[in-house]
Amino acid sequence: MTGVEIFNGAPVTLRYQPFNGGSNQAIKSLQMGDLEKVRDLTHRFGTATGFARFAVIVGGQKVNLDEYNDTTLRDSGLHQKGLFLIKNIHSSDALPDVTLNRVLKPLELEVMGHFGTLYRFLSLDDELSRDVLEFLKQFPPNAQVVSLVNAKDSSVEELFPYATPYKALYTVYTFEQCLGLSLQNGSLNQDFVCHGIGKMAQTLIKASVTDAILSTNGEKHAAAGLVECLLKLLKEAARNDSSSNILSENLQLVKALLSLVTAAEQVEDLRLASLLTGGSLSCIFEASLHSEAFFQDFKDARQFHAILRRTLLCDSRQAIRADIAKSIRSVCDHPSLEPAQKQKFASYCWSSLDTMITEILQYGHCAEEFCGVATTVFRSLDDLYRQSLDLTAYVRDWCDLLLKHHHDEFVGRDSLDWVIHGISDLIKWCIQFLKSTKKPLRISDNPMESLLRAHLFPLMSKPAGKTPLTMAVPVLHSKTRDNLYSIILTLGNDVAEYHKLLKLVRSLLSQDEEPQAWSWGIAQTTEDYTYDVNWSFDRGTAIRGPAGYPGLRNLTNTCYMNSLLTQLFMNVDFRAFLLNADVVDRSHSQRLLAESQTLFAYMQETVLKSVDTQGIADSLINYENTAVDVSIQMDVDEFYNLLFDRWESQILTDGGKKAFRSFYGGQLVQQIKSKECPHISERLEPFSAIQCDIQGKNTLNESLDAYVEGEVMEGDNKYSCTACGTYVDAVKRACLKDIPDNLIFHLKRFDYDIMTGIRQKINDRFDFPERIDMSIYSVEHVQDPERACAPDNFDLVGILVHAGTAESGHYYSLIKERPIRSERGADWVEYNDAEVTHFNPSQIPDFCFGGMTEPTGYAGSTYPKSWNAYMLFYQRVHGTNSEVQQNLAVTRRPPARCPIAPGLKMNITMDNEKFLRKYCLYDSTHARFAMSLLDRLRTVTNSCCSEDHAVEKEAILLALEYADQVLSRLRDPTDFEKLIDSLIFFVRGCSVCCKLALDWMADSPNAFRNLLCRCSTGKVRKSFTELLIRGLKNLRENDAQEYGFDVDSVELKSSTGVLPETSSGILQRIIRNMRELWPQLHLHPRAWDDYFGVLATIAGLGIPETFILLREDFLKMSIEVLIIESPGTKRLRLENPHYNQLLRLIEKGRKYTLVNLIEFLRMLLLRIDLEAQPFDSTCGERTLLDNGHFPLSSVEETYLYYGSDGGRWRPLVFLDKVITAASNPAAVKNILQVMISAEPQVGHLVDISKTILNGVNIDPAELAEPHLQAALTFCERSPDPSSVKDMISQIAREVDTIGTSGGFAHLAFFSEVRRLNNGRVGRRISNRTVLRTAVLWAPPLLMYYDERVRTATVDLLKDMIFQHKDPSMQCVDEQGNPLKEHARALCEACMKRVQEIVVNRNSAIDIRQLDTIRAVIRHCVTTYYHEGTADDDQTIEDAEGRQRVVGSISSVALIEMAGLQDHIQALAEAEEEAANSGEAHSIDKLSMTS
């Protein structure tokens, strides 16, 4: 029952009162059973009072409860003696209270009741004692042991009986529990800590004098426990003036701990050895921090150097080295340690480490821990000590070590060469110390170049005949490379070395265009196929993965090819056979075999992510005598048969063909065995894969059993036995005769449904074993099942998986690595096209067996797994074992190496080295290095350019080439922008540096195209154009002749006309580069704004620049681009094929931004005199006119006004294109102004007007806005008043057709055009025309669906007509016509509009759309008409009649409105209210709301 305590015996209540010193507490009580032992009572008193040691007085007498330990409370009679007085003992022999106060559970009490017995078991044999100890440690420490631990007078023998080590370990456990509890409660007592340190130190000292300190496992565990607990106590001991007294026998303890370190070297248990070695040294270090005398005794022992060398440098056990390193770092990195203490410790450690660094090359496997400690200690040295060191000698010697070290790294795995990393870290810190002391670094034989060549960028291998090449692998780890870059940068610390370094680094960059397959992570097996540059290069996805194998490129739908080829590649013997097959005609009859050799060689040797399979696809001819179509998926079993058939046909010798067939080909026997006679009919058939039915079969063995059992031939299907001459019952079956070493099982998962005519996939579960015995399917066993035969085991080595349906899907392979590395078992990898990853074989059932998924979701639904095994690859067991023996000696890194033709191996090695160089150039650390090199230029030259600019030239060219070849092709353009900013600094400050940069741009057309057009990153193109423009402007201002003109100053003389040019000016060369880019411009739509932005900026520099651009036909070509879509430009497209390509791309939906193209045209046309006589470019040159403008060429004029041919009118194509583009309104306006200002002299005013109006009439009307803006410009600049009136009138008529779009734009046109001031035809013609045509545009806008348009229309009418308050209504317009007449005309037009739209058409319209026009009608009638006049009375009557009709037509509210009758009623009430109040007569109250 809950809350009821069960007692052992009859419950008794014991009353007690605790006394603690001079204070006494209240009387308390506790209950327990009278059959419980007195020791339980002792424990209960200790727990309840918290006293570690106490005296008990009961019945007036002092009672020793320990004498009654095993006596029951009933037998002792203590419960009948009355009140228990519990007195805490505060004598000098007891430590302050350190106890465990948790109340024990009944089970714990019962167990601890047998503590004495269990404690005695700790003296038994080692294994049993250890188990008992672990059991006791599950419970709180025994109270008596706790008391013993807390007693100062406890002897070492009592606490730690070393002869029974597990009892000592129990005491250690008790110490740790008491310490942990004290720390948890925040009540740590230093006396207890010192007491524990002293006792444990004494124990270790006594134990160390024995002959075999660690002779037994128990002693090893006891020593480790003592050391571990001692270290904990030392760390908790307070560091103060008295802390030096915590240890009394310093030298003896030092010797004891050092002897433990030495003895631990022979301990096989790694955990124990680590605890003893690291713990003992940590104890020494901690004790040294407490006691200067102890530290001195430690140094006097003179064993540290030898121990440190053995444990940190030479010990092959990584855990030992890690613990030693941790111990030393814990002191050097201690946050609260006094600097003086830290310095003493660091300097002492460094004196030993310094002498060991030269040995690091012999113990490279230990470098991680050793170098980490050396760096930590070196950093901890103070300035005073560093000054005593020869830091320059350190740098020299350590650089020599780096150069002597042979770097070996597995490409693709992020491994770290700790020798290089550690030593380079030390050198880097050493250099920093030198900088802090401002000491120069001078090394006679500067290792700068050697370091770079040894570890960062090894020299590329060169063909050496038949001598095999060894691939030079650079350091790939970014942090290590960063260290080396810092060192090299520091070594180039004067002008000469810096110049040398610049040349060296620049030589790493390619000076020619290269194949770019590597930028996609593809190993290109042939140069017949080209790849474009990957402009978002990610180096991490270009290198092979940690699995160590490259994948295969999927050409489109060639996963079937990739999955099979990878399975065959991993068969080492088959790969070796194929690689060494005799190939004579590599180009024709044996091309497939040659391509296969190349593919397998690259799969074995390349370091790239994937290998190109295009060569295989192109050389494999199908049974229809055509190349394989890579866009069509093929069944992998069909492909397997085709591939092997074509391979065999290209093998030259019969012996070679036989050996080839033996890998996967065998023979089966088709038998018909008679049941009625002994005759058997047999027919041999070759096989390359065993076809396995899976429908109705659960496992591979079941399918194979059915394969050999066959079918019974009986009844009408009896077999005709030729030997007997009669029909007999028989069994038809197949069995295996010759079984090859490699078996392929084709699981028949695809079936054809005859009823539905659909091919379907069988996703049933089908299990297969890791090992299968094929002997039971041999012909011998089938004929005589009782006959004993040796097992013929095959191991599963590959699974080809199909995921998807019968109509579509994807193949990939799971493959066991071969040869099997016996020391760590077999690894599996997953080949999924280009991706190769490790695979856990325990997942094979889930990935490959098929069947149903596990229940998922709330409803626990399942569905068939569409991913399952399609082909199984097995290998005979002795075959896999032979591979281990044969190939494991070749390499321990995947893949296993088979011999390759020397020439092919050399090509792959050189390709790998080229790729690795690119891979390293694209490292972010190299980007920082390159930028640091450029920034270092200021320091080396003291911010003053050298006289010959040799250093500056090298730095600038390096920066530009690196920006082009590397930074521009990265996904993140941040580093590119930083580098360009640095270049701009130099370009801006020195005209010579500026010319150097511009010279490179002018002389590097490929780089110029890359950075301006091809690069896909907008920020890169923007930064480059900024550098280009700044350079041109600076050179123009400071060096006119280098800029391109034979004058002193372009600015002073450009206004006088065209300047004399120099033949090799920068400007001319840059413009020629721009001109050469024109035929490829259609390929770079993203770069159009950048390209034309540069041209526009150049054109804006002045007349000379404009002249050169015009001379290079940029005006003509720019107009051609805009008119090329016109049907009449066919000839132009034929003459310029790139325009045909441009047109096709536009038709496919490619978008080209025209913002800066139009801006460029604006800049050119502003310097063109359209009225001047065009010149014939075929027989004359363009000259500057007196007015400072240039004439058009005849071709340019034709293109500019193309569309007007004198016959049937057509829009001006150029003008229509720039207006319709709506890309740059300001530039379009300027272009229009230029064209209209040339009228009427040019004679195209009507064409311009009609082109604009043609665009205004577009549907939907919202697209007309650019043309409406153009119409404004036309009205502002047109020299013909009638054309202005016609433009406004035509647009006014068009408003009636706009429907529900374009209302804002049209209203804005009328609002703005009336304010225009056309100085050529008069000031107010536009306003008058708008007023006159209000009867056309106002009524439709007053009924527009958008309330904002209706309101704005009313505001415009107010401004034009309604705002005049003259009672006589004699206000006139500018022509003297009374405004009253305009208002009346508007009223009648509005009434007519209502009549047409609502009354006559009975149109569906929102009732709210009529409010505004009705209000305008009411206002006009009440304001501008007067009763008593016949005409006015008729108008008033007509208006009132139409208003009533409108109110009565229910169809006016057909648009979605909640509550139709409510709205009609609201309208009626609003009208009545307005009539009563007279507000409807006020134009200021016109509203569009009901």
Side-chain angles (χ1 to χ4, degrees), residues 302-348:
R302 298 183 181 279
Q303 297 184 41
F304 179 62
H305 177 83
I307 288 177
L308 195 61
R309 183 180 181 279
R310 292 198 309 270
T311 56
L312 185 62
L313 185 63
C314 304
D315 202 312
S316 61
R317 296 170 294 180
Q318 193 272 338
I320 302 295
R321 302 194 306 272
D323 274 345
I324 299 297
K326 181 181 177 182
S327 301
I328 297 175
R329 277 197 294 263
S330 66
V331 180
C332 293
D333 296 335
H334 201 292
S336 59
L337 197 61
E338 291 292 331
Q341 285 183 300
K342 186 182 295 188
Q343 171 57 31
K344 288 179 182 178
F345 178 80
S347 59
Y348 179 68

Side-chain angles (χ1 to χ4, degrees), residues 614-808:
Q614 188 68 54
I616 296 287
D618 289 347
S619 59
L620 180 60
I621 306 301
N622 59 28
Y623 295 118
E624 297 173 356
N625 207 31
T626 61
V628 171
D629 188 344
V630 298
S631 65
I632 299 176
Q633 181 78 275
M634 183 186 292
D635 183 272
V636 70
D637 183 55
E638 296 176 11
F639 175 74
Y640 165 66
N641 292 320
L642 172 65
L643 179 65
F644 269 64
D645 181 56
R646 294 297 186 251
W647 268 340
E648 184 177 349
S649 69
Q650 295 187 10
I651 295 175
L652 299 178
T653 65
D654 292 339
K657 293 178 185 289
K658 182 178 179 181
F660 173 76
R661 288 193 296 268
S662 68
F663 281 104
Y664 289 95
Q667 282 190 321
L668 56 83
V669 179
Q670 294 287 356
Q671 285 186 345
I672 301 179
K673 182 178 183 300
S674 172
K675 288 186 174 183
E676 302 176 11
C677 64
H679 299 129
I680 299 177
S681 173
E682 292 185 340
R683 186 179 76 255
L684 294 178
E685 290 184 3
F687 72 87
S688 56
I690 299 176
Q691 308 295 318
C692 297
D693 291 320
I694 66 170
Q695 196 153 24
K697 309 294 188 296
N698 295 320
T699 67
L700 178 61
N701 291 95
E702 284 186 25
S703 182
L704 292 175
D705 289 342
Y707 192 76
V708 298
E709 286 173 3
E711 59 176 320
V712 177
M713 304 175 68
E714 57 186 5
D716 294 337
N717 193 31
K718 283 190 176 186
Y719 170 64
S720 175
C721 179
T722 56
C724 299
T726 184
Y727 288 94
V728 296
D729 290 342
V731 175
K732 182 180 180 181
R733 65 191 179 192
C735 43
L736 304 177
K737 180 175 178 60
D738 295 328
I739 305 176
D741 285 344
N742 305 280
L743 277 178
I744 298 178
F745 297 102
H746 172 218
L747 309 186
K748 297 161 70 173
R749 288 200 173 271
F750 297 121
D751 191 20
Y752 184 78
D753 191 330
I754 300 177
M755 300 298 294
T756 62
I758 297 175
R759 191 167 178 255
Q760 60 185 7
K761 183 180 179 184
I762 303 169
N763 291 312
D764 298 350
R765 183 178 177 92
F766 187 81
D767 295 11
F768 45 86
E770 292 184 16
R771 174 170 288 188
I772 186 170
D773 181 8
M774 294 300 295
S775 64
I776 60 176
Y777 306 110
S778 65
V779 62
E780 294 83 3
H781 183 270
V782 172
Q783 288 179 348
D784 186 5
E786 302 300 326
R787 177 184 174 186
C789 57
D792 189 8
N793 290 320
F794 284 73
D795 280 343
L796 178 69
V797 294
I799 307 165
L800 198 152
V801 181
H802 179 269
T805 66
E807 301 303 325
S808 65

